[in-house]
Amino acid sequence: MKRVFVKTKNVKNFITMMNNLQQRADGVPGMGLVYGEPGLGKTQAVNWWAMKNDAIVVRCSNLMSVRWLLSEVVEELGEMPYYSTADSFKLIVQKLINEPRVIIFDEIDYLTSEHNVIETIRDIHDKTNVPVVLVGMAQANTRLMRYKHLYDRISEIVRFEPFTKYDLNQILKELAEVELTDCAIKYIHSKTNRFRQIVKIINKAEILAKANGLSTIDEIILKEVIKDETTDSEAVETTDKIKV
Ligand SMILES: Nc1ncnc2c1ncn2[C@@H]1O[C@H](COP(=O)(O)OP(=O)(O)OP(=O)(O)O)[C@@H](O)[C@H]1O
Ligand SMILES: [Mg+2]
């Protein structure tokens, strides 16, 4: 499989959102939200954008406290965290005022019940005015609505949508090192429209093509390739990262 970052429609919407956040007028709040079902490419998109734009990405974790979150941000800023959370917070504010950088919190679902952590993220935004982007699963939007002060500051929202056939064609064209017939592509689209699943299918198709000296994979061969895969319709969504 080619190691290429595909600019899907979701990615393009995300880039537009980030441009809007960075170029917003004075007085417009600068928080953003990205959400959507698992495996649609949210993390990949934010990491790709962060690399290009010198942004900070913090992956939230289960049981993350304010101290832990602040330590992660401080380390991403290239500093040593203080023992005192107040000192770490002040350091972050000072650094970001002197040298503004976008901060992205991935897997925000872990923190949607952690009132103190969520309000600390809002405080970082209020004190520094840097764009702060939260990334989470499909329910993140409704869960964050409970935090009225925070939600009020969200001026840009992008929902990552399942792929259309057009997206799928683009992904297969850019990533697959084996040709797939139109019928095979149609079959993949009927089985899944998530990046993670698509990548697994391409991988299996390429292995099979190599082992059998095939340059093209059709629907019949593909059915063999993915017969053991769990597809979207059969997949049970994981909710264990969400606390109610
Ligand atoms: N734009 C892209 N270009 C190429 N490959 C991608 C792209 N986006 C995602 N992928 C592939 O799909 C996989 C899943 O993507 P990713 O982890 O970003 O999904 P996610 O939406 O963050 O999922 P989750 O909600 O489970 O965290 C990646 O590991 C990568 O292999
Ligand atoms: Mg992710």
Side-chain angles (χ1 to χ4, degrees):
M1 193 165 356
K2 294 175 213 150
R3 291 179 66 84
V4 182
F5 178 77
V6 187
K7 283 196 189 164
T8 58
K9 189 154 183 289
N10 287 327
V11 171
K12 287 181 185 150
N13 291 340
F14 173 68
I15 295 170
T16 304
M17 160 179 164
M18 297 310 285
N19 290 342
N20 292 345
L21 282 178
Q22 288 184 299
Q23 291 155 18
R24 72 195 191 277
D26 279 353
V28 175
M31 293 197 67
L33 173 65
V34 174
Y35 72 103
E37 298 291 334
L40 291 176
K42 303 179 296 294
T43 299
Q44 197 86 5
V46 298
N47 288 341
W48 171 84
W49 191 91
M51 279 257 290
K52 287 183 159 305
N53 293 276
D54 194 29
I56 294 166
V57 181
V58 171
R59 185 195 179 279
C60 303
S61 301
N62 199 17
L63 302 176
M64 200 169 212
S65 61
V66 172
R67 180 196 295 275
W68 182 358
L69 178 106
L70 293 179
S71 303
E72 298 266 337
V73 178
V74 170
E75 280 169 20
E76 287 295 325
L77 287 166
E79 301 284 339
M80 286 282 286
Y82 286 103
Y83 177 75
S84 145
T85 45
D87 288 339
S88 284
F89 182 79
K90 283 184 207 152
L91 176 66
I92 291 167
V93 170
Q94 203 50 54
K95 289 274 292 181
L96 291 175
I97 287 174
N98 291 343
E99 198 186 323
R101 287 171 75 185
V102 173
I103 310 191
I104 301 170
F105 293 99
D106 195 6
E107 303 277 2
I108 195 69
D109 310 80
Y110 283 122
L111 303 181
T112 49
S113 315
E114 305 296 331
H115 181 89
N116 286 338
V117 190
I118 292 290
E119 297 300 2
T120 303
I121 292 174
R122 170 165 74 95
D123 286 339
I124 293 174
H125 169 261
D126 284 4
K127 297 252 180 189
T128 64
N129 210 29
V130 297
V132 174
V133 177
L134 310 178
V135 182
M137 295 211 304
Q139 302 84 349
N141 189 29
T142 39
R143 284 169 195 273
L144 288 168
M145 277 177 196
R146 286 183 286 179
Y147 300 93
K148 288 197 170 53
H149 291 284
L150 175 113
Y151 203 79
D152 221 31
R153 285 157 173 77
I154 297 181
S155 55
E156 294 284 332
I157 300 183
V158 167
R159 182 191 167 114
F160 269 48
E161 303 287 353
F163 299 122
T164 60
K165 241 185 110 209
Y166 176 84
D167 290 315
L168 184 63
N169 267 311
Q170 183 195 8
I171 293 166
L172 294 172
K173 208 169 115 211
E174 292 191 34
L175 292 186
E177 293 190 78
V178 60
E179 197 186 324
L180 292 133
T181 63
D182 281 349
C183 285
I185 295 174
K186 218 166 157 189
Y187 183 66
I188 296 176
H189 195 244
S190 74
K191 293 302 247 179
T192 184
N193 49 18
R194 301 198 189 157
F195 237 123
R196 204 170 273 131
Q197 302 294 331
I198 295 165
V199 165
K200 285 200 277 183
I201 292 170
I202 296 174
N203 186 43
K204 284 198 168 184
E206 284 177 355
I207 291 171
L208 191 118
K210 203 170 169 195
N212 295 283
L214 304 171
S215 59
T216 307
I217 298 279
D218 62 18
E219 185 189 351
I220 297 164
I221 304 171
L222 195 73
K223 279 184 177 160
E224 270 306 299
V225 171
I226 59 178
K227 71 175 189 307
D228 299 328
E229 287 291 329
T230 309
T231 52
D232 295 351
S233 48
E234 297 144 4
V236 179
E237 290 301 336
T238 167
T239 51
D240 58 1
K241 56 171 87 159
I242 302 165
K243 292 197 216 148
V244 192

